[in-house]
Amino acid sequence: MSTESQSVPVQVPARRTVIACVGAAGLAAALTACGSGSDSTSPAAGPATPAGNAGDGGGSGGSVLGTTSEIPQGGGKIFAKEGVVVTQPTAGQFKAFSAKCTHQGCAVSSVSGGTINCPCHGSKFDVADGSVKGGPAPAPLPAAAISVEGGSIKLA
């Protein structure tokens, strides 16, 4: 009998294989960072709660957002800190919606031409009811509860 030991060669991955794996891992991390936008810690994920006609007044509300004179007729104003957009579709009628786009959660950036506009992918929402007027957004902006007392607009 022989007491020779047989050595088995160890296979080391080729340089290309290592680089390809590192590249794939980096790509996976980048795609994860650019995910669906369902992160609830987004600053635009404000206190939007369903409401009917938010301009009907009544009740003492929460924090004051602003005054009715700040909201142009046919337009609106974004209150980024609170995560809401307040609009005045017709004289004296005030509505509020979440400032978070329903496509990927970006904060809307402007109100013009009768629409609330998202800068990320071009979604547009109607100032009267938050419905989708254009872009990839799959759903309307959720209504937010506000109250109008005198000249003040408050979160409800």
Side-chain angles (χ1 to χ4, degrees):
M1 281 189 144
S2 171
T3 58
E4 298 175 27
S5 65
Q6 295 181 357
S7 63
V8 177
V10 176
Q11 290 187 344
V12 178
R15 181 181 291 174
R16 279 186 213 161
T17 304
V18 172
I19 292 173
C21 289
V22 169
L27 179 61
L31 290 176
T32 301
C34 296
S36 69
S38 61
D39 183 1
S40 63
T41 62
S42 169
T49 56
N53 181 359
D56 60 5
S60 61
S63 63
V64 174
L65 292 172
T67 63
T68 56
S69 62
E70 295 177 59
I71 314 301
Q73 184 177 339
K77 182 175 179 182
I78 299 167
F79 295 91
K81 180 179 160 194
E82 293 83 0
V84 289
V85 181
V86 177
T87 64
Q88 184 178 188
T90 59
Q93 179 188 35
F94 297 91
K95 303 277 187 160
F97 306 97
S98 169
K100 184 177 181 182
C101 180
T102 58
H103 176 233
Q104 287 196 344
C106 293
V108 297
S109 64
S110 67
V111 182
S112 63
T115 60
I116 301 164
N117 309 302
C118 179
C120 293
H121 301 102
S123 291
K124 294 180 179 293
F125 304 90
D126 191 279
V127 296
D129 59 10
S131 64
V132 178
K133 289 295 183 186
L141 291 175
I146 58 169
S147 64
V148 179
E149 297 176 23
S152 293
I153 301 172
K154 299 179 181 181
L155 286 173

